[in-house]
Amino acid sequence: NDTDSKTLTRLVMTHSRDAEFVMLINALQTACKLISRSVRKAGIAGLYGHAGGQNSTGDDQKKLDVLSNDMMVNSLYNSHVCCVLVSEENDDPIIVPENMAGKYCVAFDPLDGSSNIDCNVSTGTIFSVWEKTSEGPATVADILRPGREMICAGYCCYGSATELVITYGFGVQRFTLDPSIGEFILTAYHMAIPEEPKTIYSINDGNYVTWDENMQRAVDKFKFNEPKPYTARYVGSMVADVHRTILYGGIYLYPADKKKGNGKLRILYEGFPMAMLVEKAGGAASTGLFRGEITEMLDLVPTGIHDKCPVVLGCKRDVQRVLSEYA
């Protein structure tokens, strides 16, 4: 409806009535629009290929990784509403000077699934937000907090359309970027996992031999489910795989390595935000067996900004099927 467009900014203003929070969301969506534009013209602009360095966790950086990170950092740093920024691409947290600082702590993966960039497969941006509660200048401790204390989480998916999915206390909302006006327009007010979810499992089967026997057994039961096996779908971009899981149902898994005991996905800017979105959409999010126990992902307390954890999330039916193998 062009005469009554429900934009992201309008809905956040209506629901939050918090000027600083609106400024934060504007900074986030501006960065996502910039990244979307860069992804779409990557081939023309010579942005495919490696940048030559590695990120905080040893992954090779693509040119678009570096560019996307600069866009996110600059947008949030200069918003005057953030105090701590954590990015997958930076070894250390960014502490905003007090004269420019606000009350929000933001963690983000500026371009998730960047290994897919050069073959034009969906990528995305993931973010999580905490509100500073301590007194005095901000420190890294202000963001090393449980997922339950997040006030906002979301992702932006760069696929056939650019979509932003967000939760900030009013369910999960889905917005689509209208390039003709440069605004995210509401396309789903209450995004939720279907009551009758599809039977889809999403996992990198190439890592099968690295999982413990319980996880192998759980995945085998999806493969050989009766009367009909589950369908396998795996993009290799967490944003794309989780987006499909919320829309269609099923389960997304990135299990722990049985020798190392940890997963590959980072807690602050991958595990936490996706867990919050999935739970708000009516699903469940767990670590599976991690550090000797089964834990709900949002109950974790990270000790480092790039800590990792295993991920088991999706519709409650399928998450419970996996966890029951550890009973």
Side-chain angles (χ1 to χ4, degrees):
N1 184 347
D2 287 345
T3 63
D4 187 27
S5 295
K6 293 181 174 62
T7 65
L8 173 58
T9 302
R10 170 178 159 179
L11 263 71
V12 172
M13 287 192 296
T14 300
H15 288 149
S16 73
R17 298 183 180 272
D18 183 330
E20 286 190 56
F21 187 68
V22 174
M23 292 166 69
L24 171 69
I25 298 302
N26 279 342
L28 284 166
Q29 66 173 311
T30 296
C32 289
K33 292 172 191 175
L34 290 167
I35 295 168
S36 177
R37 183 185 65 178
S38 298
V39 167
R40 298 200 183 287
K41 69 175 186 180
I44 299 168
L47 294 174
Y48 288 150
H50 291 283
Q54 292 185 324
N55 66 13
S56 60
T57 49
D59 299 326
D60 290 332
Q61 286 181 315
K62 297 290 188 75
K63 293 176 184 177
L64 269 175
D65 280 321
V66 176
L67 185 64
S68 300
N69 187 55
D70 289 345
M71 289 170 172
M72 286 289 287
V73 170
N74 288 332
S75 186
L76 292 167
Y77 189 93
N78 292 293
S79 68
H80 289 259
V81 295
C82 298
C83 56
V84 180
L85 304 177
V86 166
S87 170
E88 180 188 22
E89 305 301 328
N90 292 90
D91 292 337
D92 301 311
I94 298 169
I95 305 299
V96 181
E98 284 192 73
N99 66 321
M100 296 178 64
K103 62 183 178 180
Y104 296 113
C105 306
V106 186
F108 52 89
D109 181 349
L111 198 62
D112 171 69
S114 57
S115 61
N116 285 323
I117 290 171
D118 295 358
C119 60
N120 197 25
V121 172
S122 294
T123 53
T125 298
I126 315 173
F127 57 87
S128 51
V129 181
W130 288 258
E131 188 170 326
K132 183 177 180 291
T133 55
S134 66
E135 299 292 331
T139 68
V140 68
D142 289 305
I143 203 168
L144 292 176
R145 291 154 60 190
R148 298 283 176 203
E149 295 182 15
M150 276 187 298
I151 63 164
C152 172
Y155 60 78
C156 191
C157 185
Y158 312 116
S160 55
T162 296
E163 295 198 329
L164 193 147
V165 174
I166 189 169
T167 181
Y168 53 94
F170 296 89
V172 180
Q173 297 171 353
R174 179 185 183 187
F175 297 83
T176 302
L177 181 63
D178 182 344
S180 67
I181 61 172
E183 292 285 353
F184 282 102
I185 306 298
L186 181 71
T187 47
Y189 192 75
H190 290 294
M191 192 174 170
I193 293 173
E195 291 184 10
E196 295 186 10
K198 291 187 178 182
T199 51
I200 300 172
Y201 77 100
S202 182
I203 193 170
N204 184 352
D205 260 323
N207 292 330
Y208 185 90
V209 296
T210 70
W211 310 330
D212 62 39
E213 291 182 1
N214 309 70
M215 184 59 67
Q216 290 176 340
R217 191 164 57 244
V219 173
D220 286 343
K221 287 183 178 180
F222 290 133
K223 289 182 183 179
F224 304 108
N225 188 66
E226 293 291 347
K228 183 181 177 182
Y230 273 48
T231 301
R233 293 284 184 270
Y234 187 72
V235 178
S237 166
M238 188 185 192
V239 168
D241 284 315
V242 173
H243 190 56
R244 183 197 57 248
T245 301
I246 295 175
L247 288 172
Y248 296 167
I251 188 167
Y252 171 83
L253 308 102
Y254 209 113
D257 183 301
K258 64 185 177 185
K259 292 182 179 178
K260 298 178 182 177
N262 63 339
K264 180 185 178 184
L265 300 175
R266 272 66 58 151
I267 296 173
L268 280 180
Y269 43 84
E270 290 174 323
F272 275 172
M274 292 308 199
M276 183 178 187
L277 287 161
V278 168
E279 285 197 5
K280 294 290 186 182
S286 172
T287 61
L289 185 64
F290 182 48
R291 298 171 182 166
E293 59 183 0
I294 304 291
T295 307
E296 290 188 8
M297 200 179 307
L298 292 177
D299 291 333
L300 291 175
V301 183
T303 57
I305 61 173
H306 300 298
D307 282 2
K308 300 176 182 179
C309 72
V311 171
V312 179
L313 57 78
C315 69
K316 292 179 179 178
R317 175 198 67 196
D318 294 338
V319 171
Q320 188 52 48
R321 281 189 63 167
V322 172
L323 300 185
S324 67
E325 296 298 328
Y326 292 92

